[in-house]
Amino acid sequence: MEVLKSRLIVRARDAEATTAFYRDTLGLAVEREFPGGTVFFLGHGSLEVSGRGETGASPDLVLWLQVRDLAGTLADLKERGLEPVRGAQREPWGLDEAWIADPEGTRIVLVEVPEGHPIRVDTR
């Protein structure tokens, strides 16, 4: 299988609040908008909020977002009124992680890859 592009689709019970969260609170750039949905840039993939959800978030689905500066990201989000579900900590696998959630309750893991970690690609 050759994957040309990837996208996570969120079917929110409150699409307006969820779209505002990803656009305004997280500050994700809009890739495109269409009647009934918004697609956000998400690194090498996309996140689409469209349609109407019925059940809300699943604890089995986690959105993993790598950021350059976890402490700075958390400070920016706090200024926008968002408190983390779990504050930053170093995990046993060596990544620095904090958890937040969207209005639907979808857990979002914010990850900083520390200098010297084997998966670190960005050398800045």
Side-chain angles (χ1 to χ4, degrees), residues 19-36:
T19 298
F21 172 81
Y22 287 107
R23 182 191 59 229
D24 304 330
T25 304
L26 294 191
L28 297 181
V30 174
E31 182 177 336
R32 69 185 185 92
E33 295 176 295
F34 56 91

Side-chain angles (χ1 to χ4, degrees), residues 33-80:
E33 295 176 295
F34 56 91
T38 303
V39 180
F40 297 94
F41 284 107
L42 200 60
H44 291 287
S46 302
L47 176 113
E48 176 181 319
V49 179
S50 66
R52 175 135 174 88
E54 296 178 19
T55 60
S58 166
D60 298 331
L61 175 69
V62 178
L63 181 57
W64 192 92
L65 301 177
Q66 183 180 343
V67 298
R68 186 175 313 283
D69 174 10
L70 184 57
T73 298
L74 290 172
D76 287 346
L77 293 174
K78 187 171 186 162
E79 286 180 11
R80 297 176 192 169

